[in-house]
């Protein structure tokens, strides 16, 4: 496994867009969060969730990072060289997942800390934001995990689809369309169902400091996103083993 990790790390580290995309995760997430914080007037609102609103935008950059990390290899044909040198296809996917997850956790941590710092300065009531507070800590840590799981979901889709543009469109559709439908559907039963199965709505429940009355608890919601990510990686891994590069 160490050989696979070294090889995948070399490819990821030397890819021209990796550093820029990781920086964009931080800047977009913290920037959008700061803009939302600056635009709001006095409460009531969930201070922690508002401070971390940039996660909704930052996940799109994470998705692009995951798609590019795989799609570039298929686009150039380098995937054939990779699988010839390292025929354990499941191991190759696992190495990609470990590295993507690690980089996303690192960038996501910086982005979340930046978002909280900006909200403390700009958001009315932001002085209440403290990682010593249990719900705020859960919202912050859960947001970092959310970005990592969104990255793994994107990686699985990218491996299954192979075409970067189609993979990016598929991932963004999975993340944003069910969440949008939740607001468009009038029926309360359908709204509840869509909320429970939507990877974004369910996953971001972890940010809510007082989740009473929501269809899912904070960690249950994050588990829904984890199931989506596991399903995408499982499908991608199966297709990677069964078809030619």
């Amino acid at each position: 496994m160490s050989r696979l990790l070294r090889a995948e790390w070399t490819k990821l580290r030397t890819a021209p867009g990796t550093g820029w995309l990781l920086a964009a995760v931080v800047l977009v997430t913290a920037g959008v969060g700061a803009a939302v914080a600056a635009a709001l007037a006095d409460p009531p609102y969930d201070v922690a969730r508002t401070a971390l609103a940039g996660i909704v935008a930052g996940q799109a950059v994470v998705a692009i990072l995951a798609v590019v990390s795989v799609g570039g290899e298929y686009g150039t044909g380098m995937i054939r060289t990779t699988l010839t040198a390292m025929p354990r296809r499941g191991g190759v996917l696992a190495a990609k997942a470990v590295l993507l997850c690690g980089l996303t956790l690192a960038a996501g941590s910086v982005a979340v800390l930046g978002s909280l710092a900006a909200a403390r300065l700009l958001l009315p009531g932001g002085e209440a934001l403290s990682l010593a507070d249990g719900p705020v800590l859960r919202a912050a840590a859960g947001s970092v995990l959310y970005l990592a799981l969104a990255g793994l979901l994107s990686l699985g889709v990218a491996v299954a689809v192979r075409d970067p543009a189609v993979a990016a469109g598929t991932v963004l559709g999975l993340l944003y369309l069910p969440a949008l439908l939740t607001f468009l559907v009038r029926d309360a039963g359908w709204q509840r169902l869509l909320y429970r199965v939507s990877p974004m709505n369910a996953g971001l429940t972890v940010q809510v400091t007082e989740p009473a009355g929501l269809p899912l608890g904070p960690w249950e919601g994050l588990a829904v996103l984890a199931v989506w990510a596991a399903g995408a990686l499982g499908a991608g891994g199966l297709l990677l083993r069964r078809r030619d590069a």
Side-chain angles (χ1 to χ4, degrees), residues 219-233:
W219 297 116
E220 290 176 311
L222 201 62
V224 170
L225 178 57
V227 170
W228 276 95
L233 284 172

Side-chain angles (χ1 to χ4, degrees), residues 2-201:
S2 61
R3 178 169 170 262
L4 291 171
L5 287 171
R6 283 196 301 272
E8 291 301 322
W9 170 241
T10 299
K11 287 187 290 184
L12 195 58
R13 177 172 52 83
T14 55
T18 301
W20 289 106
L21 286 170
L22 289 171
V25 172
V26 176
L27 293 174
V28 169
T29 302
V32 171
V36 171
L40 287 181
D42 294 332
Y45 44 73
D46 188 319
V47 177
R49 190 174 194 179
T50 302
L52 297 167
I55 296 292
V56 174
Q59 66 180 343
V61 185
V62 171
I64 292 170
L65 172 63
V67 168
V68 167
S69 70
V70 174
E73 284 195 83
Y74 279 104
T76 61
M78 187 178 179
I79 190 66
R80 298 186 185 90
T81 304
T82 296
L83 296 179
T84 300
M86 296 174 288
R88 291 172 50 208
R89 298 190 174 196
V92 170
L93 180 57
K96 290 181 181 294
V98 168
L99 290 172
L100 176 67
C101 188
L103 291 173
T104 305
L105 288 173
S109 297
V110 176
V112 164
L113 291 174
S115 297
L116 294 177
R120 283 182 64 86
L121 295 173
L122 299 170
L123 186 66
E127 63 276 0
L129 288 168
S130 171
L131 293 178
D133 181 59
V136 175
L137 178 60
R138 183 246 298 152
S143 295
V144 176
L145 292 174
Y146 176 93
L147 288 177
L149 289 171
L152 293 177
L153 167 62
S154 306
L155 179 66
V157 171
V159 173
V161 174
R162 300 195 286 191
D163 182 272
V166 176
T170 301
V171 171
L172 296 179
L174 284 173
L175 289 173
Y176 292 109
L177 284 181
L180 179 62
L181 287 174
T182 303
F183 293 100
L184 296 178
V185 171
R186 301 280 185 178
D187 183 78
W190 278 105
Q191 283 182 338
R192 190 175 182 86
L193 175 62
L194 285 169
Y195 190 102
R196 293 176 65 90
V197 301
S198 163
M200 186 170 83
N201 275 347

